[in-house]
Amino acid sequence: MRDGMHLLADHYIPVASEPAPTILVRCPYGRGFPYSMLTAQLYAERGYHVLLQSTRGTFGSEGRFKPGVSESRDGHDTVVWLRTQDWFDGRLATAGGSYLGFTQWALATDPPPELTAMVVMIGVHDLSRAAYQQGPLDLYNMMSWSDLLSHQESVSGPGSLLRMARAEKRLAGALAQLPLRGAMSSLGGSGAPWYDEWIDHPDVDDPYWEAFRATEALQQSTVPTLLIGGWHDFFLNQTLQQYETLRAREVDVAMTIGPWTHLNVDNKIAMPQALAWLDAHTAGRAPVRRTAPVRIFVSGAKKWQDHGTWPPTSPGQATWYLRQGGNLADSASHQASSTTEFRYDPAHPTPSIGGRIMAFSGGAKDNRKLESRADVLVFTTDPLTAPIEVHGAPVVELHIASDNAHADLFVRMCDVDPRGRSVNVTDRIVRCTDQDTALGDVRSVRIALDPTAHRFNSGHRIRLQVSGGAFPRFSRNLGTGESPATGTATKPTTHTIHHDTTHPSHIALPS
């Protein structure tokens, strides 16, 4: 590298009689299984040179690992090195998922002329938005990922998988610790010094975060890019932003979104698409075999759909109004005054179930146990007489009064089947702190849920869930206004949702 550091890489060589293109894979998780198989050997067997490189400070590469900070420089220095190799024929592609997506975007902030294609799976370009994408800290995801990196070089491959499977139970004590700062120190390992730094910088507009994002690549790159994501993936919104920004600039981009979490992408679907993209744009072997730029899985319907863009043009929306007694109706209430109340206590926080977390318990799960709690409100339609298909971001508007200015609202949409099983479809948390509304006054809070593609079938019911948090997926709002990094005291909040003629709280579904 330009500063004299040496990074280690494995070179996989194809059995080929002609010059072959190169795929660069830059990875902080080691060069063994599963990365050696899925991001190296598989491509080499299909006629590509693959350079699988350990990023700075990991698995024998010199220097210190600090997420994101050196990836652009090191990526470009690696390309400079590639140009000196007699087996490099000038055709370059990049591939990989999760943080391996970040290393690709970091290189694409100033794309080298040799770069012909990118395949980014469940990838991130902005680490600030990963940590604080919805306001509160993505506590479980940030701690579990930092813990993984802290121990990965002292635990074998099978042992690492076992640690991941047990992570939720193993991390429970550290996740519950107050204050947030210093919680990682109880977990051992080599440490993750960035974790406390990130705890100390909850404002994503803080200049501190500039070193941790590669967002510039979305405006600079003209490289043909295939994006693969999941509706329950941690980085779903970044995948959608990548697609929308590149498409608006008329870059050759395609996107596939499956029913997956961050940990269970179906490689039988993803890898053939990746190979076809690289064969077309890097090797020049065949045209891309896609029927449309966008391919999405529609949950509920359990089928794939092709679209010319995302989100598809919506013919309209279905609006459902909150009513007394926990009902959702297709018309607003005629009552002059109607309210429903719940209390959130951060000392005994509302738990999280499923959703976009990097754990085997993530994704679409049964919410009935959660919905039986007194601190969770539910509003439910009658059984549908005809199916309703949702494409895009549902929008919830709540008319709400709170007795605490420092509070969060967690809103989730569920599909309730005829047996009563309530399965989460999409959700969102918002931080209501610093609202310019006097305590006790009714204010309107607009919450755009994460985008989805889902069909509510006939006989099913649509359910809206409202609570004050989802712990430990998100850090608790302590209710005191103290910094989450250092605060330890807690204060409960009572929320009152208004749903009457002058306060038509509702959810609008893009259909």
Side-chain angles (χ1 to χ4, degrees), residues 128 132 198 200-209 213:
S128 73
Y132 293 99
W198 292 4
D200 289 338
H201 293 86
D203 181 1
V204 296
D205 295 323
D206 189 321
Y208 165 83
W209 285 108
R213 52 173 63 108

Side-chain angles (χ1 to χ4, degrees), residues 387-464:
I388 293 177
E389 198 158 299
V390 179
H391 291 83
V395 176
V396 175
E397 184 175 339
L398 296 178
H399 296 265
I400 191 165
S402 307
D403 66 357
N404 189 342
H406 306 286
D408 295 345
L409 287 172
F410 179 74
V411 179
R412 168 172 277 184
M413 183 176 73
C414 294
D415 185 333
V416 184
D417 68 19
R419 298 172 299 165
R421 186 170 184 263
S422 178
V423 175
N424 52 294
V425 176
T426 182
D427 52 48
R428 192 76 169 178
I429 194 168
V430 294
R431 180 138 286 182
C432 301
T433 304
D434 300 327
Q435 290 281 347
D436 296 326
T437 305
L439 291 183
D441 286 356
V442 180
R443 65 182 184 272
S444 175
V445 179
R446 185 180 184 275
I447 306 167
L449 307 187
D450 290 331
T452 189
H454 181 82
R455 176 182 291 177
F456 293 92
N457 292 308
S458 298
H460 286 230
R461 292 176 290 162
I462 302 168
R463 174 166 290 168
L464 182 66

